[in-house]
Amino acid sequence: MAGEIADAVAQFFATDRYFGLSELPVPRAVLAAARRTPARANAGSAATSNAVAPTDKAGRLEVLDLEQVKGCRKCRLCEGRNNTVFGVGSAEARLVFVGEGPGFEEDRQGIPFVGKAGQLLTRMIIAMGLRRDDVYICNIVKCRPPNNRDPAADEIMACSPYLYEQLRVIEPEIIVALGSPASKTLLDTTTGISRLRGQFHDFKLRDPLGDVRTIPLMPTYHPAYLLRSPNEKVKAWKDLQMVMARLGLPLPQGG
Ligand code: URA
Ligand code: SF4
């Protein structure tokens, strides 16, 4: 595991050796203790045997996915999709990553962040000392925008209730918003990602009764942008280290 983390950090920064980073910051400890225990495989099975709505988090997410999102036609993005892309990871996650919308590969597989940008996100997660299974990964829209354009305001408005329900179920301690559309949507601002990133913001999660829960949210660069602008990885890594510190995860030496 420690070797895997070192490799992920090294790969994440591979192109940054040219930007003066000779020493790669490698997380010191193995992080099992910092992880939540994985979701119980059978959670809620007793409660669901009478076809009552599941009360466990994984079951509630599954119902939302299968009963509402899979057949959803609330916006025009349903027309071009091959698969809805609901989300992946642990329903008990302390940390949720929110991206923009499915791309070609995500639409084909029905799983978020599995293309090139997704592979970089996976390395970022491993560099934090976590695995994809420890966190939850989803997007602000669940169907692929044609030609990977940004989702339109009305599409985000139609789809975001699903995201908010996912967040109400999971109750993460921290949210990382990847890129401008996710950050602007969740923070309800027009400020760009370069000005938003680098500090925590208050994300206000409302429930249907109007109660508000505040969750700390870190905006950072989208991995697709980092693939195009690898010198910005240093800043993204700083953002992720602030997240790690807040979660109590061991920080890399000298990083
Ligand atoms: N980009 C995103 O924003 N989300 C994905 O799921 C894949 C790429
Ligand atoms: Fe429904 Fe969201 Fe897909 Fe639009 S993007 S059709 S709102 S699931």
Side-chain angles (χ1 to χ4, degrees):
M1 181 71 191
E4 200 187 330
I5 295 170
D7 284 353
V9 180
Q11 283 183 38
F12 178 59
F13 278 107
T15 49
D16 288 340
R17 286 177 219 212
Y18 308 106
F19 294 90
L21 274 176
S22 50
E23 290 267 284
L24 294 171
V26 176
R28 203 179 322 172
V30 180
L31 309 128
R35 284 196 203 111
R36 281 262 171 94
T37 39
R40 291 156 297 148
N42 259 343
S45 59
T48 49
S49 59
N50 291 332
V52 190
T55 52
D56 68 293
K57 293 181 172 193
R60 287 165 66 198
L61 289 180
E62 194 175 358
V63 167
L64 179 64
D65 182 14
L66 299 181
E67 294 186 0
Q68 298 197 50
V69 173
K70 271 219 159 16
C72 177
R73 305 193 66 81
K74 285 202 300 177
C75 84
R76 67 181 82 75
L77 295 183
C78 69
E79 290 160 17
R81 76 175 174 225
N82 290 300
N83 287 293
T84 54
V85 178
F86 181 71
V88 71
S90 168
E92 316 270 341
R94 301 174 64 196
L95 177 60
V96 171
F97 289 87
V98 180
E100 183 176 323
F104 176 87
E105 199 53 39
E106 290 78 19
D107 172 68
R108 200 177 70 79
Q109 297 189 35
I111 305 169
F113 283 99
V114 287
K116 274 231 148 39
Q119 288 160 21
L120 180 57
L121 176 63
T122 302
R123 289 203 290 278
M124 290 158 73
I125 291 167
I126 294 172
M128 295 174 78
L130 298 168
R131 298 169 307 194
R132 267 175 78 108
D133 291 355
D134 295 321
V135 302
Y136 192 83
I137 305 171
C138 57
N139 285 302
I140 47 174
V141 294
K142 311 305 191 202
C143 303
R144 182 188 181 207
N147 303 313
N148 298 342
R149 65 159 168 78
D150 285 0
D154 61 331
E155 295 158 357
I156 292 174
M157 196 125 79
C159 207
S160 53
Y162 298 135
L163 171 63
Y164 297 143
E165 184 58 18
Q166 285 173 298
L167 295 173
R168 279 193 291 270
V169 170
I170 299 169
E171 302 179 288
E173 287 168 48
I174 297 183
I175 296 168
V176 171
L178 298 166
S180 241
S183 303
K184 289 176 175 172
T185 298
L186 292 172
L187 297 176
D188 194 19
T189 177
T190 54
T191 305
I193 184 67
S194 298
R195 291 193 45 208
L196 290 173
R197 61 149 293 278
Q199 56 183 332
F200 284 101
H201 299 256
D202 285 346
F203 166 63
K204 306 262 184 222
L205 182 61
R206 272 162 230 287
D207 72 18
L209 296 176
D211 289 337
V212 178
R213 169 197 296 263
T214 302
I215 302 174
L217 181 144
M218 175 63 76
T220 195
Y221 291 124
H222 194 288
Y225 170 75
L226 295 176
L227 288 172
R228 298 191 299 271
S229 307
N231 52 323
E232 301 282 48
K233 286 180 186 175
V234 180
K235 292 183 199 156
W237 182 233
K238 282 200 177 123
D239 299 339
L240 296 181
Q241 286 184 292
M242 289 177 73
V243 171
M244 290 164 70
R246 194 135 177 179
L247 287 170
L249 297 173
L251 290 176
Q253 271 171 323

